[in-house]
Amino acid sequence: MMHIVRAVVASGLLSGCVGTYPASVSGSLPDVIFLSTPSRVFTVGLSIDANDKRFSTFAYQDGFVCTAHRYPVDVGAATAESIEAILSISFNQVMTGANTGYPLQYVIEPDYVEAKMVGTLDSWVAGAYTADVEISLQASVYDQQGVLLLERPLLGRGSARSQGSVCPKAAIAVGDAATLALHDALDDFVEFVTLSPDVSRDEISVIGRGQ
């Protein structure tokens, strides 16, 4: 009887019914968050479209386990929430949307999100799933007249692993890898904020660590 159960589980990992299992991505703050001193308290604008399709992709699958399934990952909402949170800590107020007239206007655009998932059989009854995600964003900041002051790419990479006897568990690895990749890219964004014109390192103080 045990041999039959193992065969059924293995068959499900190798093929099974086609399913779509979205990966869950969590917003995060970098290890070190910066806060402007009172002399730098002012309102800034933020333009980012969390629904931009370039924020999303399907995990490319390699190997032979769970290849019949699809694992979509979308980092748009988590990216927008995290970027706004960082700016809210760094400045007095953040106004989102296509704003103009603020001392600084931040614009974040996605370049691409790439994800790869490899599934293997740890045993006849369990699979192991390894995911790698890369996120590429473009950050720009403009002055009140709409003149570009600074721009730079934000690149993040993350890897994660999950286990389970059913293919939906692979989505956990994809989501965890995407969260780590976003965290990595946000480290670049914090540095970008400190390099923004009128926000010098001498006017920035460390206030804590992200969760």
Side-chain angles (χ1 to χ4, degrees):
M1 181 65 177
M2 182 61 69
H3 293 295
I4 295 177
V5 172
R6 289 177 176 176
V8 170
V9 173
S11 176
L13 290 169
L14 295 174
S15 58
C17 298
V18 176
T20 299
Y21 306 107
S24 177
V25 183
S26 300
S28 59
L29 294 178
D31 290 336
V32 178
I33 306 301
F34 298 94
L35 174 68
S36 299
T37 62
S39 62
R40 301 311 308 166
V41 173
F42 54 82
T43 299
V44 297
L46 170 63
S47 177
I48 180 171
D49 181 5
N51 297 315
D52 192 313
K53 294 186 181 299
R54 291 173 294 176
F55 276 124
S56 62
T57 189
F58 285 90
Y60 167 77
Q61 293 164 253
D62 200 1
F64 56 89
V65 175
C66 298
T67 53
H69 306 285
R70 290 161 61 86
Y71 299 94
V73 56
D74 189 330
V75 303
T79 301
E81 291 172 3
S82 299
I83 293 290
E84 184 175 355
I86 291 171
L87 292 177
S88 295
I89 291 172
S90 304
F91 299 99
N92 183 48
Q93 187 176 12
V94 180
M95 302 298 292
T96 59
N99 304 310
T100 58
Y102 300 113
L104 297 176
Q105 173 74 23
Y106 287 89
V107 178
I108 308 296
E109 294 185 338
D111 288 327
Y112 63 83
V113 176
E114 293 181 347
K116 178 181 178 180
M117 191 282 288
V118 179
T120 58
L121 285 176
D122 274 356
S123 67
W124 283 110
V125 294
Y129 317 101
T130 302
D132 297 288
V133 175
E134 181 172 292
I135 298 173
S136 177
L137 311 172
Q138 184 71 27
S140 307
V141 61
Y142 298 82
D143 67 9
Q144 289 177 296
Q145 287 71 44
V147 176
L148 177 64
L149 301 175
L150 184 69
E151 63 179 351
R152 68 166 289 179
L154 312 176
L155 184 63
R157 296 186 177 93
S159 298
R161 179 183 172 91
S162 62
Q163 292 179 298
S165 59
V166 290
C167 290
K169 294 292 186 180
I172 297 175
V174 176
D176 288 349
T179 297
L180 292 172
L182 176 57
H183 186 103
D184 191 25
L186 292 174
D187 283 336
D188 286 349
F189 182 68
V190 168
E191 182 178 357
F192 178 76
V193 172
T194 67
L195 295 175
S196 297
D198 297 328
V199 186
S200 69
R201 290 183 181 274
D202 292 339
E203 297 168 325
I204 303 295
S205 59
V206 177
I207 66 166
R209 292 187 173 274
Q211 300 297 319

